[in-house]
Amino acid sequence: MEDMKWMELAISEAEKALEEGEVPVGAVVVRDGILLGAGHNVRESRRTPMGHAEIIAMDRAARTLGDWKLKGCTLYVTLEPCVMCTGACIQARLSRIVFGAYDPKAGCCGSVTDLTALHLDSEPDIFGGLLEERCQQLLDTFFDALRTEKDGTRIPDKTD
């Protein structure tokens, strides 16, 4: 399946973020079977709120196409997009958003809210849960490490 292939590439991007100490989210933008842009979270390293994987991948895709309109493109991302990223997807006129893990705290493609259903400039098709376990495992690995002190004792989080 073509979607699996591209989500695997998004997962590779998320693994790069993990190696760099960033929240492991990766994204790619594809049209007609051609990779147009890829990115992973760089918010901490670049000290910018705009350092989300989706924004970087869409920016690179727009540069590749020479156009901000990404009509006919699909965004593959390892985590359900937040309000900023979902809004950017709508503004960019993306045709599809395919994501891995659901985000019950900030997801705006159905978990917390569904910005794509507001009948704005465009309404991308949404498909969530692709390779969800692998995407979630990357996030769990990262956040478990954050909750662990240097001596190896785990700091409890809100769910403990």
Side-chain angles (χ1 to χ4, degrees):
M1 174 183 221
E2 194 75 8
D3 285 345
M4 298 282 262
K5 168 186 163 182
W6 296 114
M7 186 58 80
E8 290 284 353
L9 190 55
I11 289 170
S12 294
E13 286 292 324
E15 289 169 341
K16 290 178 190 177
L18 184 63
E19 290 170 11
E20 295 170 11
E22 298 276 356
V23 176
V25 178
V28 298
V29 176
V30 177
R31 184 168 72 188
D32 298 327
I34 298 169
L35 175 66
L36 301 174
H40 59 274
N41 276 4
V42 293
R43 197 164 62 166
E44 297 297 328
S45 61
R46 293 189 187 170
R47 293 179 162 81
T48 175
M50 304 302 287
H52 289 213
E54 301 95 311
I55 300 295
I56 292 164
M58 285 189 289
D59 184 61
R60 289 178 176 161
R63 290 174 191 268
T64 298
L65 292 173
D67 192 353
W68 63 269
K69 294 177 191 161
L70 301 179
K71 196 152 183 70
C73 294
T74 299
L75 171 74
Y76 295 89
V77 59
T78 58
L79 180 64
E80 181 181 1
C82 68
V83 66
M84 175 179 71
C85 294
T86 304
C89 290
I90 292 166
Q91 290 297 312
R93 315 296 199 268
L94 276 172
S95 295
R96 290 177 73 219
I97 300 170
V98 178
F99 65 88
Y102 287 85
D103 187 347
K105 293 180 181 177
C108 289
C109 291
S111 287
V112 173
T113 191
D114 186 358
L115 291 182
T116 67
L118 295 178
H119 307 291
L120 301 171
D121 291 332
S122 70
E123 296 177 33
D125 292 331
I126 306 296
F127 179 78
L130 184 64
L131 298 176
E132 181 177 7
E133 287 182 25
R134 288 190 50 212
C135 295
Q136 187 63 54
Q137 183 58 49
L138 284 169
L139 293 162
D140 291 346
T141 297
F142 177 80
F143 288 110
D144 283 349
L146 274 185
R147 289 186 288 268
T148 303
E149 294 176 332
K150 290 181 183 178
D151 68 358
T153 58
R154 188 171 179 283
I155 301 169
D157 68 5
K158 293 177 186 173
T159 62
D160 288 343

